[in-house]
Structures are given as C-alpha cells and as structure tokens.
C-alpha cells in the first residue's frame, strides 16, 4: 500500500436527520487507502446509505471532516463528481433511454469524448454480457439485467473511486461471480479504489481486503477479515453428515470431543486449530468416508464475524 | 474554486495516472457546458419522446374544447373580442405543458431522488434546469400554432400576424416553464405541486385578462393579473395579431424575458441537491 494521501480521510463524521433526533452517522472516523477493496458492512438502518451519500458528495455532513484526496468534500463536493462514481439504491432517471444511450450519455457527461463514450459503452456492454439488451430501454429491463446495466453506468468514465451499494442484488449466481471477478480485475489492472456495501458477506469475502462494520451510526469493527476473525471464536468447524442407515455411528462422533448433534445424521464437531488433524484422522479411521455423505471443515467466515459483531446481542446492548 | 496549483498530485498506484483532474480553461468550460446541455436535453427529451402524442393530446384537448365552446357562444362577436378568444386559448395551452407537466416532472424527480444521479456528475444545475425547460418549450410551440390556426378557422378571422409573433411564441412558454419549474422545485412533493399548478390555472383562466380586457376586471384582479406572466403573454400575442404594436409590446416582451431569467435563478438556487 502506498504512503500517499489516503483516498478518504474521515474524522468524527456526524450526520443527523429530523433536527438531530436521528443520528444516522455518529462520529465515524476511518481512512480508505488508494487501490483497496473496502467492504462496508452493517445491519439495515446502521447508517451505511447515509455514509455512502456523504462519501459520494450527495449529502452534507453536520459536523466532522470528510476529505477526498485531501480536499474537504464536506464543504465543496465538486471533486467527488470528478473522481467518484457510485452505484446507489436510488433509481436512475434514465429509464426511457436505451442501455447504449444511457452509457453514451453518462460517459460523455463524465468527460469522455463522444467517440470514447460510445466505444467504452460497447466494451462494458460486452464485458457485462448485455449484448442482447443494448437497444432496450433501461426501464424495461428485468431486475438482474437492470442491475448489470446500472453497474455499467457506474463503471463508464473510469472514475478512480467506485462506491458500490449492493452491486450483486437481484443477480443470479453466475452473474454474481462475474461481478466479484470484475471488481478484483478492476483493482489489480487499473488500481481503482472500491468501496463495497453489501449484505452478501459470504461471497464478498473473496474480494474484500479490509472491512468496516458499522451499527447505530458507529464503527463496531474495523480491520482485515483475518484480524476480525481472530476477535471471535477461532475454533475450526467439522461438519459431518452420516450416510443413510449409518446413524449408529453417532456415538463414535460424540466421543470425538465437543460434538453437537443437529439431527441423527448431521453433526458438528468443534476443535482448536491444533487439535483438528487428530479429530479428522479419527473420523477417517473409526467411521470412514464411505459411511459419510458429507464431510466439511471450515474456519469462521466473514459472515460469522459479521453475525457475531453486528448481530442480535449487540442490538440488545443498545 | 479548486486551487490550480497543488503540492501533491494523487496518482493511481497501478496506472500512474493523475487522480484529481486539472481545472479546465475557459473555452474548454464553455464547450463542456454546451456538451452537457445537449446530453441533458436528450435525457429530458427521452422522458417525453415515448409519450409525446399523449402530451400533445392532453395539452390540446382543453383549449380546443374551450375554443368550440366559445365559438357556439360568440358567433356574432366583434373581431376585437374574437381576438381575445383566440389568443386566450393559446395562453391556456401555455398553462398545461409548461406549468403542469414541468412542475409535475421536477417535483417527482425531487421526490424520487432522481437528482442524485445528476448531483453525482460534474454538471451544473443551470444546465439541467435549462434542458428541462427547453424540452417543455419545444413541446409547447406546436400546440400554440395549432390552436392559433384552429381558432382563426372557427371564428373565420384570418389574420397574417406580425413576424414578431415568433418572439412571443418562444418567450411565453419559456416564462411559463420558468414558473412551472419554480413550482416543481419549491413544492415539497408532487401532490402539492399539482395543487399549486391547478390554482395558477384557475387564476389565469378566470381571474386574468386573457379572455377579457384588463379594464373590465375588478381593481383587485387588475392588480393580481399584472403579477402573472400569462397576462403579458396574452397581450403580446394579441398585439402581433391585431396589427398595431405599441410600447406595451416592448413591456410585455421585457417582462416575459425578465420572468424567464428570474425564475431560472430562483429554480437553480432553490434546487439544493446536496441537502436532505
């Protein structure tokens, strides 16, 4: 990571609604570094959209500072319109233009020449598999295709900073995979800084380098997925599903240590990182793979971290 | 303004490209403004291009209906009265598209947060509002011409207008679109914008001198009428048709132009797309 100015420097950011009664962002402080893929997580109503609105220059903070490449965009947001492109949850007022026109116009408004905007639009149409949709009106596209088109709108003009609010909503598994791969490529090949707001934590884990979890407008956790995982249960899960008719081997599993019976056939065994190899070899010796339908070892996922840190217990504290 | 000299220019770590753009020169900015306007015009135009027949129909039905109604009533009226009827209806058409449609569109854009898209782009609010107003003007002019021709045909009053009618036919929808845009941006939501537009409509149709001479109105209405741009649009239109243009025509044009500029200013300064 370079030591240059961070892309965003946020200090004590506060944004309230309803004359100060609702504190949507309540003293947020963090940096976003050049060229990283940053995941912003948090439950519904945590203040993510408000934060996105401020990072993109659409919302004016109540107090605190918000610097983009060193410029105070809380005061003057023009730089944000020049370097940031956002995919937000608000509908685009472009429903009556065709996909091709939407891209051409947006690219041109972002400063590309007409010819470049056209070429870039065609490239994105190809990249996102929208070839059959290029002459359809944006407003007529179905949910997933509409989502892909709006991602293309965010990408045209190659803004160095991308803020993507739930880019994989409405997408099928193939397209979700395509978008995650695309984001990785954008980071590696063109060094773009990407801020990703998502609930699709399990899949986003593949691309996210640093995570911020916010709730009630405050930072709950901040760090790499590895650092956050270390803060919660670090034990390894072994999930076992016995084959039909092999339920009798449940007692063998129960003797493995900290085992939980989910159903007669489905068990979960927890073990420390050091103890897991021994547990696994006992499973193979005492039961054998033939008697198992499924055999799965996993460490805590980012989703586990998220559920642990932003889940119900936290809500009860508040 | 952003500073033109920066000590540290952030660069992309992979591509080495400068991240923060340089401030463009004056010519570049003017060319960019023109480019921006044409894009925004296309977007605004796209909102109506699929439904223009309906917009045209809606904006023509009421004035045409009024024309027929008046033609049954006033077969033997004097030409000066007929002139009021013909031009009055053109002014009613001015209320529909520029005032109703534009105020509705803009208040809905505000309500549905459609301005977020524009606010995220390096464009000026003036360009956006001008584009919306231009589309509104463009869709209003054909209806005005049709109403003039139909009105003359119905009342058998064929007049060759002064060439200056072109100025009136462009400037009056411009002034009324300014009013419509103001209503759309100031109203808290689309419902309120609709109610306000309706009130204006009633004021103009029944309480301003578009169908009757100003002198026949009660004193109070003479005052209110002078505050509303349709009064000047109607007067200017009548003068170009009646054949004798006087100093009043210059005043009409001046007020319509001033109204257009002031409303553009009000709309642009009230359209605070960073608030909420």
């Amino acid at each position: 990571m370079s030591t240059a100015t961070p892309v965003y420097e946020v200090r004590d950011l506060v944004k309230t609604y309803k004359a100060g009664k609702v504190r949507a962002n309540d003293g947020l402080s963090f940096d976003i570094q050049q060229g990283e893929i940053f995941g912003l997580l948090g439950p519904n109503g945590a203040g993510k959209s408000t934060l996105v609105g401020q990072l993109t220059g659409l919302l004016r903070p109540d107090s605190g500072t918000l610097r983009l490449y060193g410029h105070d965009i809380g005061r003057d947001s023009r730089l944000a319109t020049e370097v940031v492109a956002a995919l937000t949850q608000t509908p685009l007022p472009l429903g009556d233009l065709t996909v091709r026109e939407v891209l051409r116009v947006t690219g041109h408004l972002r400063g590309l020449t007409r010819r470049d905007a056209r070429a870039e639009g065609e490239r994105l149409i190809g990249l996102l598999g929208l070839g059959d949709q290029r002459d359809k009106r944006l407003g007529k596209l179905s949910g997933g295709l509409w989502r892909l088109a709006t991602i293309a709108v965010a990408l045209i003009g190659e803004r160095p900073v991308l803020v993507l609010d739930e880019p994989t909503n409405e997408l099928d598994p193939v397209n979700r995979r395509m978008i995650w791969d695309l984001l990785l490529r954008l980071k590696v090949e063109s060094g773009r800084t990407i801020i990703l707001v998502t609930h699709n934590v399990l899949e986003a884990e593949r691309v996210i380098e640093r995570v911020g979890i916010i709730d009630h407008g405050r930072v709950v956790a901040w760090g790499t997925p590895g650092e956050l995982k270390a803060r919660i249960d670090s034990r390894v899960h072994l999930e076992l599903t016995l084959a039909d008719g092999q339920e009798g081997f449940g007692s063998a599993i129960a003797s493995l240590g900290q085992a939980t019976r989910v159903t007669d056939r489905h068990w979960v065994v927890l073990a420390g990182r050091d103890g897991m190899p021994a547990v696994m070899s006992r499973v193979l010796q005492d039961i054998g793979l033939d008697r198992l339908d499924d055999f799965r070892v996993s460490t805590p996922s980012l989703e586990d971290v998220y559920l642990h840190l932003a889940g119900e217990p936290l809500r009860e504290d508040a | 303004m952003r500073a033109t000299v920066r000590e540290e220019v952030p660069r992309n770590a992979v591509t080495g490209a400068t991240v923060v753009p340089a401030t463009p020169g004056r010519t570049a900015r003017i060319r960019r403004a023109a480019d921006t306007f044409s894009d925004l015009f296309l977007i605004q135009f796209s909102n109506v291009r699929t439904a223009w027949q309906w917009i045209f129909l809606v904006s023509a039905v009421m004035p045409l209906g009024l024309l027929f109604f008046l033609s049954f009533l006033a077969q033997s009226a004097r030409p000066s009265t007929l002139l009021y009827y013909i031009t009055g209806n053109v002014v009613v058409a001015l209320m529909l598209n520029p005032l109703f449609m534009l105020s509705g569109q803009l208040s809905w854009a505000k309500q549905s947060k459609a301005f977020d898209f524009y606010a995220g782009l390096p464009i000026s609010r003036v360009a956006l509002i001008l584009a919306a107003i231009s589309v509104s003007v463009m869709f209003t002019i054909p209806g005005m011409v049709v109403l003039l021709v139909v009105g003359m045909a119905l009342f058998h009053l064929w007049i060759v207008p002064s060439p200056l009618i072109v100025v009136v036919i462009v400037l009056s929808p411009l002034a009324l679109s300014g009013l419509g845009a103001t209503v759309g941006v100031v109203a808290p939501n689309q419902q309120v914008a609709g109610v306000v537009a309706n009130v204006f409509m009633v004021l103009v149709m029944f309480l301003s001198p578009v169908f009757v001479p100003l002198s026949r109105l009660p004193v109070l209405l003479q005052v209110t009428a002078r505050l509303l741009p349709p009064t000047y649009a109607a007067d200017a239109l009548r003068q170009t048709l009646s054949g004798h243009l006087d100093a009043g025509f210059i005043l009409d044009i001046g007020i319509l132009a001033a109204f257009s500029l002031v409303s553009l200013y009000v709309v642009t300064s009230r359209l605070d797309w960073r608030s909420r």
Side-chain angles (χ1 to χ4, degrees):
Chain A
M1 204 114 304
S2 74
T3 52
T5 327
V7 175
Y8 282 106
E9 279 172 273
V10 178
R11 296 290 176 271
D12 306 316
L13 194 68
V14 174
K15 176 73 189 172
T16 61
Y17 295 115
K18 299 192 175 151
K21 283 187 201 130
V22 180
R23 296 178 79 81
N25 287 168
D26 195 1
L28 295 175
S29 297
F30 58 89
D31 286 351
I32 306 276
Q33 301 299 335
Q34 174 87 42
E36 70 173 331
I37 301 187
F38 180 84
L40 181 65
L41 314 179
N44 295 326
K48 300 187 299 292
S49 295
T50 302
L51 181 58
V52 164
Q54 294 180 97
L55 293 176
T56 51
L58 298 181
L59 284 174
R60 214 177 263 121
D62 289 1
S63 66
T65 53
L66 174 56
R67 292 184 178 279
L68 172 62
Y69 291 112
H71 295 256
D72 187 351
I73 58 161
R75 201 171 300 153
D76 179 354
S77 67
R78 272 176 296 181
L79 183 66
T81 67
E82 301 274 2
V83 300
V84 183
L87 169 74
T88 64
Q89 298 296 314
T90 40
L92 297 177
L94 307 169
D96 292 305
L97 293 175
T98 65
V99 172
R100 200 206 297 245
E101 286 172 328
V102 165
L103 293 173
R104 212 174 62 210
V105 167
T106 312
H108 190 235
L109 284 171
R110 287 206 176 119
L112 297 180
T113 63
R114 285 192 199 281
R115 176 193 291 216
D116 287 352
R118 190 180 308 251
E120 178 72 2
E122 289 300 326
R123 194 181 68 82
L124 287 168
I125 283 171
L127 197 63
L128 291 162
L130 288 167
D132 295 339
Q133 269 65 44
R134 57 155 64 87
D135 291 314
K136 288 192 188 144
R137 287 200 201 104
L138 187 64
K140 300 271 183 204
L141 297 184
S142 69
L145 294 170
W146 176 83
R147 175 64 65 184
L148 288 174
T150 58
I151 292 173
V153 172
L155 295 181
I156 197 159
E158 302 202 325
R159 293 302 200 217
V161 181
L162 287 172
V163 180
L164 307 174
D165 193 352
E166 297 288 3
T168 56
N169 272 9
E170 298 113 351
L171 295 185
D172 63 38
V174 175
N175 280 323
R176 286 207 300 272
R177 170 69 67 100
M178 188 252 291
I179 294 302
W180 299 128
D181 290 346
L182 177 64
L183 295 184
L184 271 181
R185 263 207 326 276
L186 287 175
K187 172 206 146 63
V188 174
E189 289 168 11
S190 58
R192 287 209 247 166
T193 308
I194 302 171
I195 297 173
L196 194 61
V197 181
T198 185
H199 283 120
N200 212 334
V201 185
L202 222 43
E203 291 180 9
E205 185 170 359
R206 282 184 52 226
V207 303
I208 289 175
E209 294 165 289
R210 281 203 313 146
V211 190
I213 301 179
I214 65 170
D215 195 12
H216 296 289
R218 296 194 185 159
V219 172
V220 174
W222 212 268
T224 65
E227 285 166 1
L228 297 193
K229 284 174 188 177
R231 284 176 52 178
I232 67 164
D233 194 350
S234 62
R235 283 175 300 178
V236 182
H237 290 232
L238 172 62
E239 279 184 67
L240 297 168
T241 309
L242 290 165
D244 209 13
Q246 305 294 335
E247 290 83 354
F249 281 87
S251 55
I253 297 174
S255 71
L256 288 172
Q258 201 181 352
T260 315
R261 192 186 69 97
V262 182
T263 65
D264 279 348
R265 292 175 50 204
H266 188 188
W267 290 75
V268 177
V269 183
L270 286 173
R273 279 165 195 270
D274 300 338
M276 189 47 85
V279 171
M280 278 157 58
S281 57
R282 278 188 61 195
V283 168
L284 297 176
Q285 277 170 19
D286 299 355
I287 304 169
L289 278 181
D290 294 347
R291 297 202 176 87
L292 293 170
D293 267 357
D294 199 10
F295 176 92
R296 229 179 259 220
V297 183
S298 62
T299 54
S301 66
L302 192 53
E303 185 166 73
D304 294 327
V305 172
Y306 173 74
L307 290 173
H308 184 79
L309 294 175
E312 288 308 313
L314 199 79
R315 287 279 177 192
E316 282 159 16
D317 294 345
Chain B
M1 291 306 293
R2 285 196 301 276
T4 45
V5 183
R6 288 187 203 91
E7 288 178 297
E8 182 188 10
V9 182
R11 286 180 184 278
N12 182 308
V14 175
T15 61
T18 346
V19 174
V20 177
T23 311
R26 181 185 293 266
T27 3
R29 266 183 294 166
I30 292 171
R31 197 170 51 231
R32 218 172 129 47
D35 274 359
T36 303
F37 175 80
S38 67
D39 288 335
L40 296 174
F41 185 85
L42 172 66
I43 295 175
Q44 298 298 321
F45 180 71
S46 76
N47 293 336
V48 283
R49 74 175 167 194
T50 50
W52 65 271
Q53 307 92 324
W54 297 105
I55 293 171
F56 187 74
L57 190 71
V58 169
S59 58
V61 159
M62 183 144 90
L64 279 177
L66 266 172
L67 261 183
F68 279 102
F69 172 69
L70 290 168
S71 74
F72 302 142
L73 277 184
Q75 279 302 345
S76 57
R78 285 176 303 151
S80 62
T81 311
L82 294 179
L83 207 51
Y84 268 93
Y85 293 167
I86 295 169
T87 54
N89 277 296
V90 177
V91 175
V92 170
L94 278 180
M95 304 300 297
L96 290 163
N97 217 336
L99 189 64
F100 261 90
M101 302 287 290
L102 191 57
S103 66
Q105 270 174 23
L106 290 181
S107 55
W108 175 245
K110 195 169 92 163
Q111 201 174 337
S112 65
K113 299 192 172 182
F115 287 128
D116 279 8
F117 170 73
Y118 300 111
L121 293 169
I123 58 171
S124 72
R125 287 172 291 183
V126 183
L128 176 63
I129 296 301
L130 268 181
I133 287 181
S134 306
V135 170
S136 156
V137 169
M138 200 182 85
F139 272 88
T140 310
I141 290 176
M144 294 172 74
V145 174
V146 167
L147 282 168
L148 271 179
V149 173
V150 173
M152 289 182 192
L154 272 179
F155 293 108
H156 311 291
L157 187 72
W158 291 102
I159 305 164
V160 179
S162 149
L164 283 171
I165 197 169
V166 176
V167 180
V168 185
I169 276 186
V170 174
L171 209 50
S172 13
L174 194 63
L176 267 295
S177 299
L179 185 66
T182 311
V183 171
V185 165
V186 173
N189 56 49
Q190 203 181 13
Q191 283 75 19
V192 175
V195 171
V196 174
N198 264 304
V199 171
F200 269 114
M201 180 94 187
V202 171
L203 278 177
V204 168
M205 278 180 68
F206 304 111
L207 304 176
S208 80
V210 302
F211 287 107
V212 290
L214 185 63
S215 55
R216 285 218 216 136
L217 293 175
V219 179
L220 179 68
L221 291 184
Q222 289 194 20
V223 175
T224 57
R226 282 179 202 280
L227 298 175
L228 294 169
T231 308
Y232 303 96
D235 189 64
L237 205 54
R238 257 190 329 268
Q239 293 213 24
T240 57
L241 290 174
S242 68
H244 26 85
L245 295 163
D246 55 28
F249 181 76
I250 309 287
L251 181 73
D252 292 336
I253 295 298
I255 286 180
L256 289 174
F259 209 92
S260 309
L261 287 175
V262 169
S263 53
L264 184 62
Y265 173 78
V266 171
V267 172
T268 332
S269 52
R270 281 300 298 264
L271 181 63
D272 182 8
W273 57 24
R274 282 197 76 198
S275 68
R276 290 188 315 272

